[in-house]
Amino acid sequence: MFLHLTLFSFVTYLLSVCLSGFFLYRLCRGFVAGKEPRWAKILLFVTLALTSSMVIWVGDNNFAMTLPFYMLAFLLATTGDLLGRITVGGVFFCFVMSVCAMADTYLIPLDRFGDYGIVSRLVRPLVFGLLYLAFYNQLQKESIQLPHHLWEICAGLTLLPFAALSILILPAYWMPDSILLHHFNWFQGAVILPICLLSSLVLLRSILVLAEYETKAQAAAFSEMREWYYQGLKREQTQVRTLRHDLQNHLHAALGLLERGETEKARQYILELVEVKALHHSHHICENEIVNVVVSSKWEEMEQRGMMADIQIVLPAMLPIADTDLCALLGNALDNAIEAAQKSEDKHISIRCKAERGLFMLCVENSLDGEIHRDLSTTKKDKKVHGFGLAGMGEIVTRYGGFLEAAPTGNKFELLISIPLQP
C-alpha cells in the first residue's frame, strides 16, 4: 500500500510539474521574448516548472529562497528590454507563488491522502491551464514590445503584489513561536493571496492593453507618415502633368517674344521654365506610375549628391498594393539607402524590383561606412519629412503577409522585401 501511494504521488508530482511548466511557458512567451538557443528554451521551461512545484505556505522561507535563482534563470533565458523582463518575471513569480501558497496552505490539510499533497499538486496545473486559456485569444504571435517608460510604470505596479506576499509570508517564518501571528496570517492569507493573484493577472492584462494601444499608436503614426509622403509626391506629379500640359502654351509665349525681337525676355522666360524642378523627372523606369514618380525623385537626388545608381525595375501598371504603402515603402527604403551611402567613400546604390511568380520583390543595396541605427531610423532632426525606419516598412510588409530582411554584409547594407501579390 505504501509503495502504491509513493508511486502514485511521484506520478502526480511529475504530471503536475510538466503540465504547469507547459502552460506557464506558453503564457510567458506571449509577454517576453525567449532566446533562440535550445538551452535557453529548456532553461525557461524548467525554471517555470520547478517554481510552480515549489512547496510554499504562510510562514515558509521558500518564497525568499526561490526568488534570486528564479530571476537569474529567467533573465538568462529571455531577451529584450531588461526592465521589461524583470517586470514580466516578477508578475509571473507573484501569481505562481500566490497559487502555490493557497494550494499548500489551505488544501494540504484537507487532503485525504495524508502528507502527499496530491490534491494540491493537481490543482496547480488546473489553475495555470485555465489562466492560459483565459489569455490565449489575447496573446500576440510575437512577444510584447513596450517603450521603456511604459515598462517603468508596470514595474512600479508589480511591487504591490510582491510586497503584499512578502509581508504575508515572511514574518511568520521569522517568528515561528508566535501562535497568534500564525493564526492571524492564516486567516489573513485567505484574503490577501487571492487579491495578489488577481492583481498579478490584472497586471498581465494591463500589459496586453498597453501593447495593443502602442501598436495602434504606431500604426496611426505610420499611416500619417505614409499619407504625408504620398501627398507630397502626388502634388509633384500633378505639377509635372500641369507643366507638360501647358508646355505648348509656354513654347508659343517664348516664340511670340522672339518674333517681336524681345530676345532677352524670351531667354529669361525659357531659363525660368528650364529651372522648374518638376520638368527634370524624365526617367521612365517601369509601367507603374507611382513607382516612376518615387524612384525618379530619388534618382535625381542621388545624381545631385554624386552617387552611382544601378536601377533595374520591372513592374506592371497595376499592383494589389495601395499607392500610399508602395510610395512609403520605396521612398523610405531609398531615403535610408541614400543617407547611409552618403557617409561612405563608395557612394553606390543598387535597386532591384520586380513582380514575378506572384511576388513583389524589392532589393536595395547601398555602400556602408560607419555605424548604423539598429532600427534603420533616420539620423536627421526632422523625422517628419524623412525615413521612418525599419519599423514603418516592417509594418507595411507584415500587413500584406510578406517578410523583410535587413542586415549589413561587409561594407554594404542590404534590404530585402518580399510581398505576395494576392488579387
Side-chain angles (χ1 to χ4, degrees), residues 6-28:
T6 303
L7 181 61
F8 182 65
S9 177
F10 175 76
V11 171
T12 55
Y13 173 78
L14 187 62
L15 180 64
S16 171
V17 171
C18 292
L19 285 177
S20 297
F22 170 78
F23 291 129
L24 290 173
Y25 176 83
R26 294 296 299 272
L27 182 61
C28 181

Side-chain angles (χ1 to χ4, degrees), residues 151-176:
W151 281 125
E152 290 178 347
I153 297 174
C154 295
L157 295 175
T158 306
L159 293 175
L160 298 176
F162 181 79
L165 281 173
S166 302
I167 294 172
L168 172 67
I169 295 175
L170 296 181
Y173 172 74
W174 293 326
M175 302 175 65

Side-chain angles (χ1 to χ4, degrees), residues 37 52 72 187 252 260 362 368 403:
S52 68
L72 177 61
F187 287 107
H252 281 300
R260 292 196 298 271
L362 171 66
L368 185 64
F403 77 89

Side-chain angles (χ1 to χ4, degrees), residues 143-354:
S143 57
I144 288 173
Q145 302 290 336
L146 288 180
H148 189 76
H149 69 277
L150 292 181
W151 281 125
E152 290 178 347
I153 297 174
C154 295
L157 295 175
T158 306
L159 293 175
L160 298 176
F162 181 79
L165 281 173
S166 302
I167 294 172
L168 172 67
I169 295 175
L170 296 181
Y173 172 74
W174 293 326
M175 302 175 65
D177 297 330
S178 176
I179 299 177
L180 179 61
L181 179 61
H182 175 75
H183 286 291
F184 176 75
N185 281 347
W186 195 90
F187 287 107
Q188 191 180 38
V191 177
I192 293 181
L193 289 175
I195 293 177
C196 289
L197 173 62
L198 183 60
S199 61
S200 300
L201 298 180
V202 170
L203 277 172
L204 291 179
R205 173 57 182 162
S206 300
I207 293 174
L208 289 174
V209 171
L210 288 174
E212 184 179 358
Y213 171 79
E214 188 67 18
T215 300
K216 291 181 178 179
Q218 289 183 359
F222 294 152
S223 177
E224 182 181 354
M225 290 178 184
R226 287 196 305 271
E227 187 63 25
W228 181 92
Y229 203 107
Y230 174 72
Q231 291 300 330
L233 286 176
K234 194 174 181 181
R235 285 192 297 270
E236 189 173 325
Q237 184 182 27
T238 302
Q239 185 181 7
V240 171
R241 290 176 175 175
T242 301
L243 285 172
R244 288 176 177 173
H245 181 267
D246 295 339
L247 187 57
Q248 186 176 7
N249 296 330
H250 291 302
L251 292 175
H252 281 300
L255 182 61
L257 291 172
L258 290 172
E259 289 176 347
R260 292 196 298 271
E262 300 179 19
T263 307
E264 185 61 27
K265 286 186 177 182
R267 179 176 173 275
Q268 290 296 328
Y269 187 90
I270 293 173
L271 286 176
E272 291 177 4
L273 190 62
V274 170
E275 290 298 321
V276 175
K277 183 179 178 181
L279 288 179
H280 295 173
H281 296 167
S282 57
H283 298 294
H284 180 76
I285 300 168
C286 66
E287 299 302 319
N288 190 284
E289 188 175 1
I290 192 68
V291 173
N292 278 331
V293 174
V294 175
V295 179
S296 293
S297 174
K298 299 305 174 185
W299 197 340
E300 181 184 359
E301 184 178 350
M302 294 179 212
E303 291 175 344
Q304 291 174 351
R305 297 191 183 197
M307 296 180 178
M308 295 179 59
D310 180 13
I311 301 176
Q312 295 182 22
I313 299 178
V314 181
L315 291 174
M318 300 296 296
L319 286 170
I321 301 175
D323 286 346
T324 53
D325 292 330
L326 190 60
C327 175
L329 202 61
L330 284 167
N332 283 278
L334 296 180
D335 278 341
N336 291 326
I338 293 171
E339 185 177 344
Q342 182 67 31
K343 301 174 184 178
S344 67
E345 295 181 2
D346 179 21
K347 296 177 172 56
H348 181 270
I349 294 178
S350 172
I351 305 168
R352 301 287 186 272
C353 187
K354 62 181 179 179

